């Protein structure tokens, strides 16, 4: 029996089975073209605990190198806070493009507290991205580790907008970093 369009039923079933097999055996967090790249999140992002006086508003920044800074008045900030650290390993000298997604680990009203920016600091540069989507391209060093891979680490800080946070609210975020492309 031939299906309209000239395909034999077994050919169609074989194609479906092969597609399912390939989707199951693809490494998680990687897309096509990222073979040989290992991405590991070493720490999550934590901006500490915030509380404000009534009517207070401004921004709190956790910089990857310079620590915590705030604008506005009436903010009380308590730790612990810490930048996220991501480790990337791959072929020495290759350029790796990564996508970074952020999800809150703690509940808070986004009307009063909103993550607005990610600050990504690599060995070469620092870049700021909107918190809802960040894509970074980095060049792995030419030196190899004992495992034969080049390793690079980078740090991620953030900026949060606050407005009248009456109770102490902890701000912790989970980062998901995945390889999108390698040159």
């Amino acid at each position: 029996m031939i299906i309209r369009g000239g395909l034999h039923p077994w050919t169609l079933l074989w194609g479906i089975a092969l597609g399912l097999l390939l989707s199951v055996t693809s490494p998680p967090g990687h897309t096509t073209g990222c073979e040989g790249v290992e991405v590991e999140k070493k720490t999550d992002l934590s901006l500490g605990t915030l509380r404000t006086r009534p009517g207070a508003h401004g921004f709190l920044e956790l910089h990857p190198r310079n620590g915590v800074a705030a604008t506005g008045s009436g903010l009380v900030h308590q730790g612990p806070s810490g930048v996220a650290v991501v480790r990337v390993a791959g072929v020495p000298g290759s350029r790796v493009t990564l996508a970074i997604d952020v999800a809150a680990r703690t509940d808070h009203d986004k009307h009063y507290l909103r993550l607005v920016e990610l600050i990504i600091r690599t060995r070469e540069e620092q870049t700021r991205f909107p918190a809802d989507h960040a894509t970074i391209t980095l060049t792995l060093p030419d030196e190899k580790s004992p495992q034969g891979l080049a390793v690079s680490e980078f740090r991620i800080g953030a900026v949060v907008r606050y407005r009248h946070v009456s109770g102490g609210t902890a701000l912790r975020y989970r980062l998901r970093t995945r390889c999108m492309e390698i040159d």
Side-chain angles (χ1 to χ4, degrees):
M1 176 172 135
I2 303 289
I3 297 176
R4 189 184 320 200
L7 290 177
H8 191 275
W10 290 109
T11 306
L12 182 61
L13 288 173
W14 176 249
I16 292 171
L18 183 60
L20 288 172
L21 178 65
L22 289 175
S23 69
V24 171
T25 60
S26 296
H30 288 82
T31 58
T32 305
C34 287
E35 294 78 17
V37 175
E38 298 172 8
V39 181
E40 173 190 8
K41 177 193 64 180
K42 297 182 85 174
T43 59
D44 276 328
L45 178 64
S46 174
L47 284 114
T49 301
L50 307 181
R51 185 174 54 253
T52 68
R53 291 188 199 139
H57 64 280
F59 293 89
L60 176 80
E61 176 178 290
L62 174 60
H63 192 274
R65 178 179 273 174
N66 302 328
V68 176
T71 65
S73 61
L75 172 70
V76 176
H77 175 263
Q78 296 175 314
S81 58
V83 297
V85 177
V86 177
R87 178 186 175 274
V88 181
V91 176
S94 60
R95 291 175 46 87
V96 179
T97 301
L98 303 168
I100 302 168
D101 300 315
V102 182
R105 292 183 63 201
T106 52
D107 291 329
H108 54 274
D109 187 338
K110 291 184 181 178
H111 182 71
Y112 297 106
L113 285 167
R114 182 175 201 80
L115 189 67
V116 293
E117 193 173 58
L118 295 178
I119 307 167
I120 301 175
R121 180 153 188 87
T122 64
R123 197 166 44 168
E124 298 86 25
E125 64 184 2
Q126 173 181 299
T127 310
R128 292 176 180 257
F129 295 95
D132 58 350
H133 63 281
T135 303
I136 183 171
T137 300
L138 58 97
T139 303
L140 294 176
D142 291 327
E143 307 89 41
K144 293 181 184 180
S145 68
Q147 293 80 18
L149 298 175
V151 177
S152 180
E153 282 189 1
F154 61 94
R155 300 162 62 86
I156 303 173
V159 176
V160 66
R161 178 182 54 86
Y162 66 87
R163 191 180 95 190
H164 184 68
V165 183
S166 58
T169 303
L171 297 176
R172 292 185 189 88
Y173 298 91
R174 178 179 305 118
L175 299 177
R176 181 172 166 244
T177 308
R178 66 190 189 291
C179 177
M180 293 179 60
E181 181 178 43
I182 184 167
D183 290 335

